[in-house]
Amino acid sequence: TVVPPADPKNVQGDITIGFAKRLETAIFFIVDDVDSFRKQLALLVPKITTADQVANDKDSIKKHKQSGGTDLLKISGLNIAFSQSGLTKLGITDDLGDAAFKEGQFTDAQNLGDKGSTSGGVFTPDWIPTFRSAVHGIIIIAGDSQTTIDERVAETTQIIHLAPKNGSCHQVLRLDGAVRPGDQKGHEHFGFLDGISNPAIEKIDVNPFPGQETVRQGIILLGRNGDPTTRPAWALDGSFLAFRYLFQLVPEFNDFLLHNAIPGLTPEEGAEFLGARLFGRWKSGAPLDLAPLKDDPVLAADPQRNNNFRYNFPEDPQTQDRCPFAAHVRKTNPRFDLEGLNPPASTEARRIVRRGIPFGPELSAQEQQQNTTLQGRGLLFRCYQSDITNGFQFVQHSWANNTAFPPQKPETPGFDAIIGQAADPTSRTITGADPKAQTTALPLPIEWVVPKGGEYFFSPSIPALKSTFGK
Ligand code: HEM
């Protein structure tokens, strides 16, 4: 049966469009008094930013820039989502039909490759304490400035009482993210431009860029065409949010690149080239598949071209001439590596919509001198999908952490160099790092991305927030 498409007025804005943002705050909370929480939530619902509103905001920003405006428009966003323990606390007992969500990320941590210790047969990941016990929900607040964020946080806490105690709920953790300064705007902490490749959603992103694949709505939204599972009626137009608190060891990563610089170039160029080989894109964002030997900032900045590749270049696609099989972007979206199999395999069910933001300070001089991280920094990673077991969990566990993926290659690809996790974090290798020695396995001495927590949440539709959550 063909289901009609979603109405953007019903969908939370972070899911299908993505907030316009300079700053973003995530508030994690525990519900204490169910009755008063539900009443307060009903009052918060009109403040929640829908996909429709985000689309209008982005339109205004575009028009403002086109008319020569250089200042930032005051724009903000507010979304809310609940974990399984949150649903249970609220007395919502319907099964949403996603095993990973139901168990929660803490239970999934070992399967994802997170490090930890086992005692009495129970695995405890090396996470911060907040994520080692229940978190009922997350409130995401985005804005153009700290003032906007502060106003939104104040307004939200006035409506739902995130009091230390005796309120309807209380905050257990607040994490603040920010777009990096100056020319690093849009780049994650290792220095690479992020947020280039996301799938287009059918009937929502109606003008996809060349190379941007369109997925059916049900790959991201529950209950729509392409959702593999039958869900409770009220789950329609919701989406699962996988949140990960990922720390990045930036000076250690930079030091590795310098010490293993690809030969035949200056040390700086060789280090830059190795970094690009590990990601599959240059720091500028230019994809190696289109710019294999040297960075091309013009290509990188051109949305008509910067995602238009499939790893099926006219030369033998079974080589790592242009891009290592285990480069981060190839591992997490292998394109022709699966489509070219006999019989072809689709990547559609594995596509996720990414909405992360960096956290933590820029590198200090001391950290650069000592090649050692002294202050925490990384990525507040978020992604949306209609099924965590098919989406985030699969990409992390069965692709990034699986040395034999992509399949049927002449050399074993190795771990996703950036996010792949091994039982022994010092044991990772990757082939194809040096295009002139593609069969050589390069040891990756440590894991430079370190998860310190996370949870799986469900981001309900506006109608569900009114009918099933609030009262
Ligand atoms: C793409 C960085 C974690 C999945 C990218 C890109 C960068 C990047 C620079 C290229 C820009 C783009 O294509 O939009 C990072 C960093 C991470 C991280 C620094 C950790 C701190 C993750 C995780 C996942 C993931 C945990 C999922 C399990 C993806 C996907 C793409 C991507 C699906 C797009 C690939 C494509 O369509 O070509 N990431 N990422 N990333 N990343 Fe990550």
Side-chain angles (χ1 to χ4, degrees):
T1 52
V2 175
V3 186
D7 178 346
K9 289 193 183 69
N10 290 341
V11 181
Q12 294 201 54
D14 193 38
I15 305 169
T16 49
I17 310 282
F19 293 141
K21 63 196 177 202
R22 270 288 161 100
L23 298 163
E24 204 165 67
T25 290
I27 294 173
F28 300 88
F29 62 88
I30 285 279
V31 175
D32 299 305
D33 183 317
V34 173
D35 224 41
S36 53
F37 178 80
R38 280 171 170 269
K39 284 188 189 127
Q40 291 165 6
L41 183 61
L43 301 176
L44 188 71
V45 173
K47 306 279 178 195
I48 289 176
T49 315
T50 63
D52 201 37
Q53 287 164 340
V54 177
N56 284 340
D57 286 350
K58 288 199 165 169
D59 238 32
S60 310
I61 296 175
K62 209 163 139 194
K63 286 193 186 124
H64 182 68
K65 278 189 186 153
Q66 277 164 358
S67 65
T70 48
D71 52 324
L72 288 181
L73 282 189
K74 182 163 174 158
I75 297 267
S76 68
L78 168 74
N79 274 189
I80 192 164
F82 298 88
S83 66
Q84 177 62 63
S85 63
L87 295 187
T88 306
K89 175 78 183 181
L90 295 178
I92 299 170
T93 52
D94 288 339
D95 187 343
L96 279 176
D98 186 307
F101 171 75
K102 201 171 171 179
E103 296 293 326
Q105 200 179 104
F106 179 82
T107 306
D108 204 19
Q110 192 169 23
N111 170 59
L112 295 174
D114 292 9
K115 306 303 172 291
S117 53
T118 305
S119 138
V122 180
F123 177 81
T124 305
D126 295 335
W127 287 3
I128 61 162
T130 309
F131 292 113
R132 285 194 257 129
S133 50
V135 168
H136 290 158
I138 178 175
I139 294 170
I140 301 156
I141 293 177
D144 60 292
S145 70
Q146 195 58 52
T147 315
T148 308
I149 297 270
D150 293 346
E151 284 169 10
R152 272 284 199 164
V153 171
E155 180 192 60
T156 305
T157 38
Q158 213 169 37
I159 299 173
I160 61 165
H161 302 161
L162 287 155
K165 1 179 158 90
N166 300 329
S168 71
C169 61
H170 67 275
Q171 174 180 317
V172 287
L173 179 68
R174 171 178 169 162
L175 296 174
D176 294 300
V179 167
R180 293 184 54 214
D183 66 357
Q184 291 303 298
K185 180 180 168 202
H187 295 241
E188 49 70 44
H189 274 294
F190 292 133
F192 292 78
L193 186 64
D194 204 355
I196 306 166
S197 175
N198 267 321
I201 305 171
E202 193 176 30
K203 302 233 162 54
I204 294 174
D205 303 302
V206 287
N207 292 313
F209 291 113
Q212 188 187 19
E213 298 137 289
T214 298
V215 297
R216 289 169 293 165
Q217 289 198 345
I219 299 299
I220 308 301
L221 297 175
L222 277 75
R224 294 290 168 189
N225 265 344
D227 179 1
T229 307
T230 306
R231 318 283 184 176
W234 59 265
L236 182 70
D237 293 341
S239 187
F240 289 111
L241 159 58
F243 171 81
R244 296 277 279 167
Y245 190 27
L246 300 176
F247 283 68
Q248 293 175 243
L249 304 177
V250 178
E252 291 83 349
F253 181 73
N254 289 341
D255 189 45
F256 168 80
L257 296 183
L258 262 181
H259 280 95
N260 294 274
I262 293 178
L265 300 160
T266 67
E268 287 71 26
E269 284 170 353
E272 191 194 341
F273 192 26
L274 177 59
R277 300 279 298 175
L278 300 186
F279 270 93
R281 287 185 185 265
W282 297 88
K283 282 185 170 169
S284 67
L288 282 188
D289 202 31
L290 299 179
L293 295 177
K294 100 181 179 8
D295 190 8
D296 183 345
V298 179
L299 161 69
D302 181 357
Q304 299 295 328
R305 294 194 291 145
N306 66 14
N307 205 23
N308 197 9
F309 61 94
R310 303 217 68 74
Y311 309 114
N312 60 345
F313 28 84
E315 307 96 272
D316 183 1
Q318 292 296 66
T319 76
Q320 314 196 63
D321 289 356
R322 286 166 180 257
C323 181
F325 302 134
H328 176 56
V329 298
R330 193 164 183 171
K331 274 276 196 186
T332 53
N333 184 14
R335 306 179 192 221
F336 188 78
D337 288 333
L338 289 193
E339 292 151 9
L341 294 177
N342 186 11
S346 165
T347 55
E348 191 194 24
R350 311 286 172 230
R351 300 309 306 283
I352 55 180
V353 167
R354 290 174 303 124
R355 307 277 183 230
I357 191 159
F359 71 89
E362 295 294 298
L363 281 192
S364 67
Q366 201 188 2
E367 288 177 301
Q368 275 166 304
Q369 277 156 16
Q370 300 178 4
N371 297 323
T372 308
T373 296
L374 301 172
Q375 295 161 283
R377 63 175 63 76
L379 190 65
L380 304 178
F381 177 87
R382 296 203 303 283
C383 70
Y384 291 96
Q385 58 258 279
S386 67
D387 198 289
I388 290 173
T389 313
N390 277 340
F392 167 75
Q393 188 195 53
F394 199 93
V395 173
Q396 180 69 56
H397 174 270
S398 301
W399 286 0
N401 297 357
N402 175 1
T403 55
F405 186 85
Q408 300 177 22
K409 296 298 182 198
E411 297 93 39
T412 300
F415 288 91
D416 179 317
I418 308 305
I419 64 159
Q421 303 204 96
D424 171 1
T426 63
S427 72
R428 298 188 311 151
T429 62
I430 172 179
T431 61
D434 180 348
K436 296 210 173 86
Q438 293 178 23
T439 56
T440 306
L442 174 70
L444 309 175
I446 59 167
E447 291 174 357
W448 298 285
V449 170
V450 183
K452 296 239 176 120
E455 182 53 293
Y456 299 138
F457 298 98
F458 178 67
S459 181
S461 70
I462 304 298
L465 282 169
K466 287 182 183 156
S467 66
T468 307
F469 288 79
K471 81 170 186 194

